[in-house]
Amino acid sequence: MARWAPQKQDVLDALATEITTVYPDRAIIAILADDPAESAAFGRDLADAIDAAGRAATVASTFDGASADAVTIVTGPVARDETNLTRSHVQVWLDHGRDEDRALRRSIGIVLDVSDPEHPRRRFADSC
C-alpha cells in the first residue's frame, strides 16, 4: 500500500501560513541544509509561498538588512552558524533522514524530511 505524502506546495503553503500567523510583523527564518544550493532553492520557494499569502518575503545570505515589516529568509552556510541561529525566529532543517547532526536537528523548530523533494514531510523531533 502506498504511503500518502503531501505535495511540496502544500507543505510550503502550510509553513507560510504558520509563519505569517505567528509572526505578523518582522520575522527572520533560517533554512539549514547540508547543501547550500538546496537551502537557497527551498528558501526561494518558501518566499514565493509567503508572498502568495500576502506578506513580503526576501531571501538573503546574511542576517544583516532584515526588513522591519517583512519576512527575511536566510539560507546557506551563514544560517547554520550558532550565533545566527539565535537571531532567527524560526529555523527549518531540511533533513534527508540521515542520523548526522542529531543534536542540532533536535534544537531546530521545524524539521522537514526532504528525502523525497516533491513530497516533504514534517517531522517532530521532540522526545515525547
Side-chain angles (χ1 to χ4, degrees):
M1 183 170 154
R3 182 175 169 192
W4 178 84
Q7 295 292 320
K8 182 177 182 180
Q9 192 59 52
D10 295 329
V11 172
L12 290 166
D13 291 344
L15 281 175
T17 298
E18 181 178 339
I19 290 166
T20 58
T21 301
V22 174
Y23 300 98
D25 299 317
R26 175 180 182 263
I28 300 173
I29 313 304
I31 307 294
L32 295 86
D34 291 331
D35 178 6
E38 179 183 35
S39 171
F42 190 87
R44 287 189 300 272
D45 291 343
L46 181 57
D48 290 344
I50 291 170
D51 286 338
R55 288 279 302 283
T58 59
V59 180
S61 58
T62 175
F63 275 76
D64 298 334
S67 175
D69 61 350
V71 176
T72 302
I73 300 169
V74 182
T75 66
V78 70
R80 290 186 71 150
D81 180 88
E82 284 192 43
T83 302
N84 289 332
L85 279 176
T86 62
R87 296 174 62 194
S88 62
H89 298 97
V90 177
Q91 306 83 30
V92 179
W93 175 264
L94 304 181
D95 184 39
H96 287 272
R98 298 183 297 256
D99 287 336
E100 298 93 19
D101 296 321
R102 256 194 176 160
L104 175 63
R105 187 171 52 208
R106 283 193 183 118
S107 67
I108 299 299
I110 297 172
V111 178
L112 292 177
D113 180 345
V114 292
S115 53
D116 178 354
E118 292 308 310
H119 299 94
R121 299 178 71 84
R122 188 159 180 179
R123 292 187 181 265
F124 295 90
D126 59 7
S127 60
C128 299

